[in-house]
């Protein structure tokens, strides 16, 4: 797995991580600008050269701006777009690649498109004042520098975790950026987040599940933008609300005036009485001349053209255009559509290059509750003393749940997994997470044999409900052992 935030080039900053935090050793830091044009000659190339030279003169901060034709080493991408379709496809192509996803993109159009793409950081219409062009380039150079400052991501994070971290880092490198939903009739929820949808390689609307997982992990904060009705079967928003006959459930209904003939007491639809411009009773064939004398019109009611029954209120039903299922309106689910911002935990994850846990871990956190690490450490110290003083067994375990697929995006799996967690663990078991994304749990008054039984039962239950394979790995340490100090216990786990 590679990405542009892996610091492997000698021209990028060398970053070392120590116990006291992150120390940067400043070397010959360069920002490479890559100009891409559909045609050989670019009308903005000369201006771009002038802007770079002006920025170098303006401040030492921009002394190392360099133009390159190699996309792989580019830190900032500038597109000269003559054909709008080509430009949009090129931007999508760039954002779809993890190695280019974080790189700032400046799109320069020769003709204004109907809609600017949200995938570019800045959109400009040429010609533009050199001063304005210079300001936009300067802003994006700062974004590129932010991307260069990011530390490497460990391969153990997994493909999905890596893409989630890229989404977090995308917001982090563009300070105070908001991830806003865009209306899209092709989306399963009526809205889409273009950058997230391209990054996670899913259909429009399906990326919302990944953003919700990041919110559950407290990496993002949300603000409600809209609520949409979705199908309870396929969770799609393409619902047709239909009025039906309550007697035969036919769609063939219409609203029509009712006529009451006083002489023969016949009640029927106006269309039954109508004979050209005159009204004639279909029962007794007498002509109706004067309203209030021969007849009256008590109301306008609904009539079924199939079963000929009348009714005051039709039956309202929902028909899903995506899965063809029918259901009553009260069964429709309400989907929250949010805009997202980076939280403090998200900032920390972006800086450290690590996520607090997968979707499975987030469900686990929600169900059992996690203690802060320093609180957990104090509880562990006390539990070790209690075990050795009062001669009973407790077990410390480090474990990890790794999913080979997107189990946690299924609503049913989330509910089933939460039920399994509650059946397996007790309220007296104590949890926290480690910096590597693994979990630590203290099984109080439980020896290692019974702790293994608990994990075996957990694995069996998960296998029954999982959509894709889930690996469970764990280590156990006996807290009652007199041979280990607290430091020795950590050595065994690590």
């Amino acid at each position: 797995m590679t990405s542009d935030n892996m610091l492997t080039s000698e021209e990028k900053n060398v970053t070392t991580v120590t116990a006291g935090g992150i120390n940067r050793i400043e070397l010959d830091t360069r920002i490479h600008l890559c100009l891409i044009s559909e045609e050989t000659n670019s009308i903005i190339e000369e201006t771009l050269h002038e802007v770079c030279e002006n920025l170098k003169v303006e401040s030492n901060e921009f002394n190392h701006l360099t133009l390159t034709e190699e996309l792989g080493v580019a830190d900032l991408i500038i597109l000269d777009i003559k054909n709008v379709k080509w430009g949009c496809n090129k931007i999508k192509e760039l954002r779809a690649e993890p190695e280019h996803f974080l790189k700032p993109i400046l799109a320069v159009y020769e003709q204004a498109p109907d809609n600017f793409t949200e995938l570019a950081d800045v959109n400009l219409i040429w010609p533009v004042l050199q001063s304005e062009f210079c300001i936009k380039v300067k802003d994006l150079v700062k974004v590129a520098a932010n991307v260069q400052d990011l530390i490497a991501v460990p391969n153990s994070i997994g493909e999905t975790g890596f893409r989630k971290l890229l989404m977090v880092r995308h917001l982090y490198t563009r300070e105070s950026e908001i991830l806003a939903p865009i209306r899209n009739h092709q989306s399963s929820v009526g809205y889409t987040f273009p950058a997230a949808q391209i990054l996670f390689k899913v259909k429009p609307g399906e990326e919302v599940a990944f953003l919700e997982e990041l919110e559950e992990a407290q990496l993002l904060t949300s603000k409600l933008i809209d609520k949409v009705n979705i199908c309870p079967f396929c969770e799609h928003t393409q619902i047709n609300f239909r009025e039906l006959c309550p007697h035969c459930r036919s769609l063939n209904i219409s609203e029509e005036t009712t006529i009451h003939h006083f002489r023969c007491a016949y009640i029927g639809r106006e269309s039954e009485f109508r004979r050209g411009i005159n009204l004639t009773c279909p029962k007794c064939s007498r002509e109706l001349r004067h309203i209030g004398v021969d007849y009256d019109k008590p109301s306008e009611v609904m009539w079924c053209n199939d079963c000929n029954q009348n009714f005051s209120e039709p039956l309202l039903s929902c028909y899903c255009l995506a899965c063809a299922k029918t259901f009553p309106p009260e069964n429709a689910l309400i989907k929250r559509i949010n805009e997202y911002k980076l939280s403090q935990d998200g900032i920390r994850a972006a800086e450290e290059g690590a996520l607090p846990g997968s979707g499975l871990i987030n469900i686990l956190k929600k169900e059992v509750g996690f203690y802060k690490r320093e609180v957990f450490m104090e509880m562990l110290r006390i539990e070790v003393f209690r075990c050795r003083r009062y001669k009973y067994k407790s077990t410390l375990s480090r474990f990890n749940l790794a999913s080979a697929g997107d189990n946690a995006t299924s609503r049913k799996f989330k509910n089933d997994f939460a039920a399994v967690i509650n059946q397996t663990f007790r309220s007296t078991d104590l949890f926290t997470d480690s910096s590597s994304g693994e979990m630590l749990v203290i099984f109080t008054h439980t020896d290692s044999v019974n702790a293994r039984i608990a994990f075996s039962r957990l694995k069996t239950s998960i296998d029954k409900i999982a959509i894709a394979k889930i690996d469970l790995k764990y280590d156990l340490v006996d807290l009652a052992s007199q041979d280990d100090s607290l430091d020795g216990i950590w050595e065994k786990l690590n």
Side-chain angles (χ1 to χ4, degrees):
M1 182 187 306
T2 60
S3 83
D4 60 319
N5 58 356
M6 295 293 211
L7 304 182
T8 55
S9 171
E10 291 181 356
E11 292 182 329
K12 294 184 181 270
N13 295 338
V14 174
T15 304
T16 58
V17 181
T18 66
I22 299 174
N23 294 326
R24 293 185 54 212
I25 303 173
E26 297 289 349
L27 291 182
D28 187 17
T29 304
R30 293 186 180 276
I31 301 294
H32 296 87
L33 285 71
C34 181
L35 175 61
I36 301 176
S37 178
E38 187 179 10
E39 299 177 3
T40 306
N41 296 324
S42 171
I43 61 171
I44 66 172
E45 185 173 0
E46 183 178 343
T47 303
L48 184 59
H49 279 282
E50 292 176 3
V51 165
C52 288
E53 292 304 317
N54 290 341
L55 287 174
K56 290 177 183 179
V57 172
E58 178 183 320
S59 171
N60 290 334
E61 183 182 358
F62 303 103
N63 270 349
H64 301 295
L65 292 182
T66 306
L67 292 175
T68 179
E69 295 181 356
E70 297 182 41
L71 181 60
V73 300
D75 300 297
L76 192 166
I77 301 170
I78 301 173
L79 294 177
D80 179 5
I81 301 174
K82 295 178 174 63
N83 182 290
V84 172
K85 184 177 180 180
W86 173 86
C88 291
N89 289 336
K90 192 66 179 179
I91 295 172
K92 287 181 181 179
E93 178 186 317
L94 291 168
R95 287 288 185 234
E97 294 296 328
E99 64 177 311
H100 302 310
F101 181 75
L102 293 180
K103 297 177 181 179
I105 296 176
L106 170 59
V108 182
Y109 297 86
E110 290 193 20
Q111 291 184 348
D114 294 333
N115 293 296
F116 286 114
T117 175
E118 296 82 9
L119 296 174
D121 291 273
V122 175
N123 295 286
L124 292 176
I125 305 298
W126 196 263
V128 64
L129 292 175
Q130 189 181 82
S131 58
E132 183 182 353
F133 190 60
C134 187
I135 290 171
K136 299 301 182 183
V137 171
K138 184 192 301 184
D139 291 341
L140 295 185
V141 166
K142 292 177 180 178
V143 174
N146 291 340
V147 173
Q148 280 196 354
D149 285 344
L150 297 172
I151 67 173
V153 178
N155 290 330
S156 59
I157 196 172
E159 181 66 22
T160 301
F162 178 62
R163 291 179 185 271
K164 287 181 180 179
L165 185 60
L166 282 179
M167 191 72 255
V168 170
R169 285 185 156 184
H170 189 275
L171 294 172
Y172 174 76
T173 51
R174 288 128 175 105
E175 297 171 4
S176 40
E177 179 169 320
I178 295 175
L179 197 60
I182 306 298
R183 286 186 299 107
N184 186 336
H185 69 278
Q186 296 179 329
S187 167
S188 60
V189 295
Y191 290 85
T192 187
F193 296 84
Q197 189 240 322
I198 288 286
L199 175 64
F200 292 111
K201 297 182 178 179
V202 293
K203 296 177 181 178
E206 294 180 358
E207 74 279 4
V208 174
F210 294 99
L211 299 178
E212 289 175 342
E213 287 180 20
L214 291 173
E215 183 188 8
E216 288 178 7
Q218 299 181 348
L219 301 179
L220 299 178
T221 60
S222 65
K223 177 184 176 183
L224 180 65
I225 297 299
D226 197 2
K227 291 182 179 180
V228 294
N229 293 290
I230 61 174
C231 171
F233 299 100
C234 67
E235 300 187 4
H236 204 288
T237 192
Q238 296 252 352
I239 300 173
N240 185 24
F241 289 82
R242 308 188 299 184
E243 293 182 336
L244 308 177
C245 171
H247 303 288
C248 69
R249 294 183 177 270
S250 169
L251 282 167
N252 191 15
I253 63 175
S254 59
E255 187 176 22
E256 194 171 345
T257 301
T258 301
I259 291 181
H260 175 208
H261 185 201
F262 295 145
R263 188 177 185 88
C264 69
Y266 182 74
I267 299 175
R269 290 183 285 181
E270 184 176 352
S271 59
E272 295 180 68
F273 290 80
R274 182 66 62 186
R275 299 291 183 271
I277 63 172
N278 298 319
L279 296 175
T280 303
C281 179
K283 180 180 179 182
C284 65
S285 300
R286 291 180 181 275
E287 186 175 354
L288 282 60
R289 297 180 182 277
H290 304 290
I291 187 168
V293 177
D294 299 323
Y295 68 97
D296 69 351
K297 296 181 178 181
S299 64
E300 288 192 357
V301 297
M302 303 295 293
W303 288 85
C304 178
N305 297 317
D306 288 338
C307 70
N308 208 35
Q309 295 283 336
N310 67 76
F311 43 91
S312 59
E313 294 291 338
L315 177 67
L316 191 60
S317 177
C318 295
Y319 177 74
C320 179
L321 299 174
C323 69
K325 296 286 181 65
T326 301
F327 54 92
E330 59 268 22
N331 287 1
L333 302 176
I334 302 297
K335 181 76 173 177
R336 292 172 58 92
I337 303 298
N338 302 314
E339 64 178 22
Y340 297 94
K341 290 177 64 177
L342 208 57
S343 68
Q344 287 300 315
D345 286 344
I347 292 173
R348 191 178 306 112
E351 292 173 345
E352 295 177 354
L355 296 175
S358 66
L360 300 178
I361 304 310
N362 295 332
I363 299 172
L364 184 63
K365 279 186 177 182
K366 185 177 179 180
E367 293 303 316
V368 301
F370 276 36
Y371 287 97
K372 290 185 177 179
R373 215 165 301 165
E374 56 270 21
V375 176
F376 181 87
M377 290 296 294
E378 181 61 19
M379 288 181 168
L380 175 62
R381 185 184 67 81
I382 294 172
E383 189 65 18
V384 169
F385 290 153
R386 283 161 55 87
C387 288
R388 296 174 183 180
R389 181 177 180 86
Y390 298 109
K391 309 300 182 186
Y392 67 77
K393 298 284 188 179
S394 286
T395 304
L396 172 66
S397 174
R398 178 189 63 186
F399 71 99
N400 184 40
L401 289 166
S403 175
D406 294 326
N407 285 290
T409 60
S410 163
R411 184 185 299 273
K412 183 178 185 304
F413 176 81
K414 287 182 178 181
N415 294 334
D416 291 344
F417 183 70
V420 167
I421 292 301
N422 287 315
Q423 292 167 5
T424 303
F425 297 106
R426 308 162 303 176
S427 59
T428 54
D429 296 331
L430 310 174
F431 290 83
T432 193
D433 55 346
S434 68
S435 56
S436 62
E438 297 173 312
M439 267 57 58
L440 298 174
V441 56
I442 301 173
F443 292 100
T444 58
H445 286 265
T446 305
D447 59 24
S448 57
V449 173
N450 284 301
R452 281 193 177 88
I453 292 173
F455 278 122
S456 177
R457 188 166 62 245
L458 176 62
K459 182 67 168 70
T460 301
S461 299
I462 288 176
D463 287 343
K464 290 179 180 178
I465 64 171
I467 301 167
K469 184 182 178 183
I470 294 178
D471 290 328
L472 170 63
K473 297 179 181 179
Y474 62 91
D475 298 303
L476 301 174
V477 175
D478 181 9
L479 297 182
S481 172
Q482 300 291 332
D483 299 331
D484 293 322
S485 63
L486 202 55
D487 290 338
I489 290 173
W490 284 119
E491 287 180 10
K492 280 191 173 183
L493 285 180
N494 297 308

